Amino acid sequence: MRILLVDDDDALMETLAQALIGQRYAVDIAGDGETAQEFVALFSYDLLILDMLLPDTDGLTLCQQLRKEGMTSPILMLTAQDDHQNKVQALDAGADDYVVKPFDFDELCARVRALLRRNTHLAESVLHWGSLSLNPVTLDVAYGDQPLHMTPKEYALLELFLRHPSRVFSLDAIIDNLWSFEDPPSGDAVRTHIKGLRQKLKAGGAPKNFVETVYGLGYRLRPLEEQTAAPAKVTQPSKADISAAVAKAWESHQGTMQERLSVLEATAAALDIGRLSTELQQAGRSQAHKLAGSLGCFGFSKGSKLARELERLLELDAPLGEQHVSRVSHLLQDLRQTLAHGSSQQVVSAAISSSPQLLVVGPSEGFTRDVVADALTVGLRSTTALDPVQAAEMLVSCPPPGQSPDAAVIWVDEANYAEALALVGAIAPRPILLISDIQDFQQRLQLVQQGAERILPPATAVSHIVKDVRQLLQAGNAARRVVIVDDDPEVLEFVTTILAPWGFQLTALERPTQLWQTLDKLRPDLLILDVEMPEASGLELCQVLRADDRWRHLPILFLTAHEDINTQQQAFNVGADDFVSKATMAADLPGRILNRLKRTQL
């Protein structure tokens, strides 16, 4: 909690600051009204203690001005005048409490605690979260019956989270709340305090994730219902599983594709005889839009382009002329042929191209060949290099986006140790598994600190290596919650299938109105929106989310059949983080998601 003291009595303020710091508050001191306003403009304070008489203004005027500017934090007025009229003026000016000098420091600290309790939804004198309790008066912390001994900053962190249990605090917000203006720490220092807090909570019996990381946003207390829930088991499908699932999805939706084509044929027939109604034109346009999206997802880029051109023609408000009638007829004929010659193998190829890519760096072609073969059976594509230097050159030459490996297996020995260490650093934080017989503790420590997550001996079976790589990929993404909103069930099914190998927690929604309840329940790490949907468009959803303080930092990726510059510009103008065409989704989407999630952690 952060407090601003505004008084030109330096000695008194220093003494009061020390008393409040002893109560685990962060304290700033301003000697005049102008400095106080500068502090308030820069930082968010939980409480102000304001003297009535200042060198450049009076406290009443400053209090009134702060209230007019929208400040809602409690203000406690100090004065040397014990006069009834002064108290009335102070309270009418917007003060929440009034203390006369000289004052008792213990009483003042108690009033501070009371005002802070009043300003949060937690009015109890002892703060609770599940089995955890924190007493702001005695500064005692316990988990169940187990006392927890905290450093001052660990205690302050915990109290901050407890007073705002549903809020996510970024590193900057934590610094603003818990450190004074003159002594701000680095982000690494804050992370060290959070790590220490987690360790002490875990040692006292609390769950490991009691304080959770919300990727790209910051830290918060994990919701109570999630602390006791068993972790969901995430399985990674094999290449055969992916192929079968995609082929089945394509075959099962053939009827839907033909129904959409039938609506377009009816639209064309009515257009040909000059009896196209507004309703039929809108229905034809809607089905063309859905065909453009679903065909693009399933790898039929030509069919997607044909459907998209039909959609554009049916968007025209003016009566369609003879040249339009002829063009619609030709487009429909080409679209029928595309669907007639389409095969599930084409669809499977599109899906497999989106599976995770493994970099294998080995001492011999035999080793890399065996790992590649085994990885392929479980749905992992691979690239190979015979040494870390060659692998590093490949990383530099890889074109973005999404072409760098999603995981790596690297053979490390004494001869290539320095190069391998540099390669690990270049690939991290992606999952990295090392094969090495190096026993020197310092060298192994350096490899782990650089980003290696697992070290196996050279005698390890290839099947065991690949199994561990899958586990690392799964562990890295299993906590990532991704919500997809699209009114086309075929698209949702395909997106779910191609993202399955990555281990994300996926939630698919067909109706935009389902999103709000889902957001509050799941608190996703990333949201995927279609642009055009009934009830509310993706652009409208994004606008509302960006205006909501809870979701304004949530990564939002648009997935759409629209590829024109105007639509992309609209998406970015309302707050989109990325834009992916459904025609290239199979190859682009997983990499775009991973890159966006990675950026939110920086």
Side-chain angles (χ1 to χ4, degrees), residues 92-363:
D92 287 343
D96 297 271
D97 203 351
Y98 186 102
V99 174
V100 179
K101 300 177 182 178
F103 49 78
D104 181 84
F105 285 96
D106 290 338
E107 178 187 348
L108 183 62
C109 289
R111 287 178 179 268
V112 167
R113 291 193 296 271
L115 287 173
L116 291 173
R117 284 199 306 273
R118 191 187 310 165
N119 201 43
T120 68
H121 74 283
L122 296 168
E124 311 96 295
S125 58
V126 178
L127 307 179
H128 295 276
W129 192 249
S131 300
L132 182 76
S133 62
L134 181 148
N135 190 326
V137 179
T138 63
L139 307 182
D140 292 330
V141 181
Y143 192 83
D145 296 329
Q146 178 67 39
L148 304 180
H149 302 288
M150 304 275 177
T151 66
K153 285 305 180 188
E154 290 166 356
Y155 174 93
L157 272 168
L158 189 57
E159 183 181 7
L160 178 66
F161 292 137
L162 284 168
R163 290 195 182 276
H164 309 276
S166 61
R167 178 178 167 185
V168 179
F169 285 91
S170 66
L171 288 176
D172 287 341
I174 291 172
I175 292 171
D176 286 348
N177 277 276
L178 302 184
W179 272 267
S180 65
F181 171 70
E182 296 178 351
D183 187 31
S186 65
D188 287 340
V190 177
R191 294 187 187 96
T192 299
H193 287 299
I194 292 173
K195 181 179 179 181
L197 173 61
R198 285 170 166 167
Q199 289 173 342
K200 290 181 180 178
L201 288 168
K202 183 180 178 183
K208 180 180 179 181
N209 57 354
F210 194 90
V211 177
E212 70 171 354
T213 301
V214 181
Y215 293 98
L217 298 180
Y219 304 90
R220 68 167 180 177
L221 294 181
R222 192 168 186 84
L224 292 175
E225 63 273 14
E226 295 184 21
Q227 293 182 21
T228 56
K233 183 177 181 181
V234 182
T235 58
Q236 286 219 357
S238 66
K239 177 182 178 182
D241 294 332
I242 300 171
S243 301
V246 174
K248 182 180 178 181
W250 171 248
E251 297 300 332
S252 67
H253 293 303
Q254 287 296 296
T256 303
M257 301 292 181
Q258 292 302 323
E259 289 174 6
R260 291 173 177 172
L261 193 60
S262 296
V263 174
L264 285 170
E265 288 174 336
T267 303
L271 178 62
D272 189 42
I273 61 175
R275 301 185 63 179
L276 178 62
S277 66
T278 302
E279 292 77 12
L280 185 55
Q281 182 175 345
Q282 290 176 344
R285 176 190 170 280
S286 175
Q287 296 307 315
H289 173 76
K290 289 189 174 182
L291 269 177
S294 53
L295 288 175
C297 290
F298 283 109
F300 298 97
S301 58
K302 179 182 177 181
S304 178
K305 291 177 181 177
L306 293 170
R308 181 73 182 105
E309 187 173 348
L310 279 168
E311 180 188 5
R312 283 196 292 265
L313 285 172
L314 295 173
E315 282 177 343
L316 298 176
D317 293 330
L320 299 178
E322 291 185 5
Q323 70 275 21
H324 294 127
V325 175
S326 175
R327 184 57 182 160
V328 168
S329 177
H330 285 303
L331 288 171
L332 264 178
Q333 183 178 355
D334 288 346
L335 192 55
R336 288 192 207 100
Q337 293 177 351
T338 299
L339 288 175
H341 293 95
S343 69
S344 60
Q345 186 56 47
Q346 184 175 352
V347 180
V348 169
S349 298
I352 294 299
S353 70
S354 68
S355 59
Q357 186 175 67
L358 175 67
L359 171 63
V360 184
V361 183

Side-chain angles (χ1 to χ4, degrees), residues 533-545:
M533 293 182 287
E535 299 174 334
S537 72
L539 299 173
E540 292 168 338
L541 289 175
C542 188
Q543 278 183 299
V544 174
L545 289 170

